[in-house]
PDB file of all heavy atoms in Angstrom:
ATOM      1  N   SER B 136       7.827  50.212 -18.830  1.00 97.00           N
ATOM      2  CA  SER B 136       7.913  50.795 -17.498  1.00 97.00           C
ATOM      3  C   SER B 136       8.307  52.268 -17.569  1.00 97.00           C
ATOM      4  O   SER B 136       7.827  53.096 -16.802  1.00 97.00           O
ATOM      5  CB  SER B 136       8.929  50.001 -16.664  1.00 97.00           C
ATOM      6  OG  SER B 136       8.869  50.372 -15.325  1.00 97.00           O
ATOM      7  N   ARG B 137       9.173  52.577 -18.523  1.00 97.00           N
ATOM      8  CA  ARG B 137       9.638  53.967 -18.665  1.00 97.00           C
ATOM      9  C   ARG B 137       8.502  54.917 -19.037  1.00 97.00           C
ATOM     10  O   ARG B 137       8.517  56.090 -18.667  1.00 97.00           O
ATOM     11  CB  ARG B 137      10.768  54.025 -19.706  1.00 97.00           C
ATOM     12  CG  ARG B 137      12.126  54.327 -19.051  1.00 97.00           C
ATOM     13  CD  ARG B 137      13.257  54.257 -20.038  1.00 97.00           C
ATOM     14  NE  ARG B 137      13.815  52.913 -20.130  1.00 97.00           N
ATOM     15  CZ  ARG B 137      14.102  52.280 -21.269  1.00 97.00           C
ATOM     16  NH1 ARG B 137      13.855  52.864 -22.436  1.00 97.00           N
ATOM     17  NH2 ARG B 137      14.608  51.066 -21.235  1.00 97.00           N
ATOM     18  N   ARG B 138       7.515  54.379 -19.768  1.00 96.00           N
ATOM     19  CA  ARG B 138       6.366  55.229 -20.113  1.00 96.00           C
ATOM     20  C   ARG B 138       5.587  55.600 -18.866  1.00 96.00           C
ATOM     21  O   ARG B 138       5.179  56.743 -18.681  1.00 96.00           O
ATOM     22  CB  ARG B 138       5.434  54.467 -21.065  1.00 96.00           C
ATOM     23  CG  ARG B 138       6.111  53.991 -22.336  1.00 96.00           C
ATOM     24  CD  ARG B 138       6.116  55.090 -23.364  1.00 96.00           C
ATOM     25  NE  ARG B 138       6.402  54.538 -24.672  1.00 96.00           N
ATOM     26  CZ  ARG B 138       6.003  55.103 -25.810  1.00 96.00           C
ATOM     27  NH1 ARG B 138       5.295  56.223 -25.771  1.00 96.00           N
ATOM     28  NH2 ARG B 138       6.312  54.563 -26.963  1.00 96.00           N
ATOM     29  N   PHE B 139       5.380  54.606 -18.015  1.00 97.00           N
ATOM     30  CA  PHE B 139       4.685  54.868 -16.761  1.00 97.00           C
ATOM     31  C   PHE B 139       5.500  55.854 -15.911  1.00 97.00           C
ATOM     32  O   PHE B 139       4.956  56.787 -15.319  1.00 97.00           O
ATOM     33  CB  PHE B 139       4.482  53.563 -15.978  1.00 97.00           C
ATOM     34  CG  PHE B 139       3.391  52.684 -16.515  1.00 97.00           C
ATOM     35  CD1 PHE B 139       3.693  51.508 -17.199  1.00 97.00           C
ATOM     36  CD2 PHE B 139       2.055  53.012 -16.339  1.00 97.00           C
ATOM     37  CE1 PHE B 139       2.679  50.687 -17.688  1.00 97.00           C
ATOM     38  CE2 PHE B 139       1.035  52.196 -16.819  1.00 97.00           C
ATOM     39  CZ  PHE B 139       1.356  51.037 -17.504  1.00 97.00           C
ATOM     40  N   HIS B 140       6.799  55.599 -15.884  1.00 98.00           N
ATOM     41  CA  HIS B 140       7.702  56.427 -15.090  1.00 98.00           C
ATOM     42  C   HIS B 140       7.587  57.898 -15.491  1.00 98.00           C
ATOM     43  O   HIS B 140       7.423  58.784 -14.660  1.00 98.00           O
ATOM     44  CB  HIS B 140       9.131  55.924 -15.289  1.00 98.00           C
ATOM     45  CG  HIS B 140      10.134  56.533 -14.363  1.00 98.00           C
ATOM     46  ND1 HIS B 140      11.424  56.105 -14.278  1.00 98.00           N
ATOM     47  CD2 HIS B 140      10.029  57.559 -13.479  1.00 98.00           C
ATOM     48  CE1 HIS B 140      12.085  56.822 -13.384  1.00 98.00           C
ATOM     49  NE2 HIS B 140      11.254  57.725 -12.881  1.00 98.00           N
ATOM     50  N   GLU B 141       7.632  58.115 -16.766  1.00 97.00           N
ATOM     51  CA  GLU B 141       7.550  59.473 -17.297  1.00 97.00           C
ATOM     52  C   GLU B 141       6.222  60.126 -16.920  1.00 97.00           C
ATOM     53  O   GLU B 141       6.178  61.281 -16.469  1.00 97.00           O
ATOM     54  CB  GLU B 141       7.710  59.415 -18.821  1.00 97.00           C
ATOM     55  CG  GLU B 141       7.838  60.763 -19.486  1.00 97.00           C
ATOM     56  CD  GLU B 141       7.828  60.614 -20.999  1.00 97.00           C
ATOM     57  OE1 GLU B 141       7.023  59.797 -21.528  1.00 97.00           O
ATOM     58  OE2 GLU B 141       8.611  61.306 -21.655  1.00 97.00           O
ATOM     59  N   ALA B 142       5.155  59.371 -17.091  1.00 97.00           N
ATOM     60  CA  ALA B 142       3.830  59.912 -16.760  1.00 97.00           C
ATOM     61  C   ALA B 142       3.760  60.285 -15.279  1.00 97.00           C
ATOM     62  O   ALA B 142       3.217  61.340 -14.912  1.00 97.00           O
ATOM     63  CB  ALA B 142       2.754  58.893 -17.107  1.00 97.00           C
ATOM     64  N   LEU B 143       4.307  59.425 -14.425  1.00 98.00           N
ATOM     65  CA  LEU B 143       4.270  59.699 -12.993  1.00 98.00           C
ATOM     66  C   LEU B 143       5.079  60.946 -12.633  1.00 98.00           C
ATOM     67  O   LEU B 143       4.629  61.782 -11.838  1.00 98.00           O
ATOM     68  CB  LEU B 143       4.796  58.480 -12.217  1.00 98.00           C
ATOM     69  CG  LEU B 143       3.850  57.291 -12.139  1.00 98.00           C
ATOM     70  CD1 LEU B 143       4.548  56.096 -11.505  1.00 98.00           C
ATOM     71  CD2 LEU B 143       2.594  57.654 -11.340  1.00 98.00           C
ATOM     72  N   ASP B 144       6.270  61.052 -13.252  1.00 98.00           N
ATOM     73  CA  ASP B 144       7.098  62.227 -12.976  1.00 98.00           C
ATOM     74  C   ASP B 144       6.364  63.511 -13.359  1.00 98.00           C
ATOM     75  O   ASP B 144       6.405  64.509 -12.640  1.00 98.00           O
ATOM     76  CB  ASP B 144       8.423  62.126 -13.745  1.00 98.00           C
ATOM     77  CG  ASP B 144       9.445  61.293 -12.991  1.00 98.00           C
ATOM     78  OD1 ASP B 144       9.237  61.049 -11.789  1.00 98.00           O
ATOM     79  OD2 ASP B 144      10.442  60.874 -13.603  1.00 98.00           O
ATOM     80  N   GLN B 145       5.681  63.467 -14.478  1.00 97.00           N
ATOM     81  CA  GLN B 145       4.951  64.652 -14.918  1.00 97.00           C
ATOM     82  C   GLN B 145       3.775  64.946 -13.994  1.00 97.00           C
ATOM     83  O   GLN B 145       3.462  66.115 -13.729  1.00 97.00           O
ATOM     84  CB  GLN B 145       4.472  64.465 -16.360  1.00 97.00           C
ATOM     85  CG  GLN B 145       5.627  64.519 -17.356  1.00 97.00           C
ATOM     86  CD  GLN B 145       5.170  64.288 -18.785  1.00 97.00           C
ATOM     87  OE1 GLN B 145       3.990  64.347 -19.092  1.00 97.00           O
ATOM     88  NE2 GLN B 145       6.138  64.023 -19.663  1.00 97.00           N
ATOM     89  N   ALA B 146       3.137  63.885 -13.514  1.00 98.00           N
ATOM     90  CA  ALA B 146       2.017  64.087 -12.593  1.00 98.00           C
ATOM     91  C   ALA B 146       2.493  64.747 -11.302  1.00 98.00           C
ATOM     92  O   ALA B 146       1.812  65.613 -10.740  1.00 98.00           O
ATOM     93  CB  ALA B 146       1.344  62.755 -12.292  1.00 98.00           C
ATOM     94  N   VAL B 147       3.662  64.354 -10.857  1.00 98.00           N
ATOM     95  CA  VAL B 147       4.233  64.965  -9.655  1.00 98.00           C
ATOM     96  C   VAL B 147       4.582  66.423  -9.922  1.00 98.00           C
ATOM     97  O   VAL B 147       4.259  67.328  -9.138  1.00 98.00           O
ATOM     98  CB  VAL B 147       5.494  64.195  -9.196  1.00 98.00           C
ATOM     99  CG1 VAL B 147       6.217  64.958  -8.095  1.00 98.00           C
ATOM    100  CG2 VAL B 147       5.124  62.806  -8.710  1.00 98.00           C
TER     101      VAL B 147
END
Side-chain angles (χ1 to χ4, degrees):
Chain B
S136 191
R137 250 175 271 134
R138 303 275 196 154
F139 284 107
H140 190 172
E141 188 187 41
L143 286 173
D144 276 345
Q145 289 178 15
V147 171

